[in-house]
Amino acid sequence: MAASAAACAGFFFDAEPLGEPGLPALDACALCAKRLGRDSDVFMYRGDTPFCSEECRGEQMQLDAARARRSAGRRQQQYSRKVSVAS
C-alpha cells in the first residue's frame, strides 16, 4: 500500500489545477496553439495569456492595437453622426 500511495502522491502534485472558465489554459500558446512544455519559457501578456515566444506575443499585441484603433475609429464616426444630426 505504501508503494501505491507514493505513486499517487507524485501524480497528485503533478496535476495542474483547473482554471476559471473562459481563461486560457497555460498548456498551449494562445496564438499558434503550440504546446508549452513544463521546462520551456512562457511569455505572458495581459496577465494570464500565455505565448510560446516573444514573436507570438508581439503579434498578438499588434493585433490588439489594430483592433483598438478600428474600434476607436468606429466610435469617432458614431459620435460625429450624432453631432451632425443634432445640429
Side-chain angles (χ1 to χ4, degrees):
M1 175 152 176
S4 63
C8 290
F11 175 78
F12 175 79
F13 289 110
D14 286 341
E16 293 184 17
L18 294 175
E20 294 181 36
L23 293 179
L26 297 177
D27 58 351
C29 177
L31 188 67
C32 71
K34 178 181 171 185
R35 298 233 359 116
L36 301 174
R38 288 184 179 258
D39 59 344
S40 63
D41 289 336
V42 177
F43 300 86
M44 302 300 287
Y45 174 57
R46 294 199 173 202
D48 58 358
T49 307
F51 295 92
C52 64
S53 66
E54 289 184 57
E55 291 79 18
C56 278
R57 181 180 63 184
E59 187 173 338
Q60 184 64 55
M61 293 168 93
Q62 290 175 352
L63 291 169
D64 288 350
R67 187 176 302 128
R69 285 190 299 272
R70 280 195 314 267
S71 179
R74 286 188 200 126
R75 283 192 303 266
Q76 181 62 33
Q77 287 175 349
Q78 290 173 349
Y79 177 75
S80 63
R81 282 190 218 139
K82 290 178 183 178
V83 171
S84 63
V85 171
S87 301

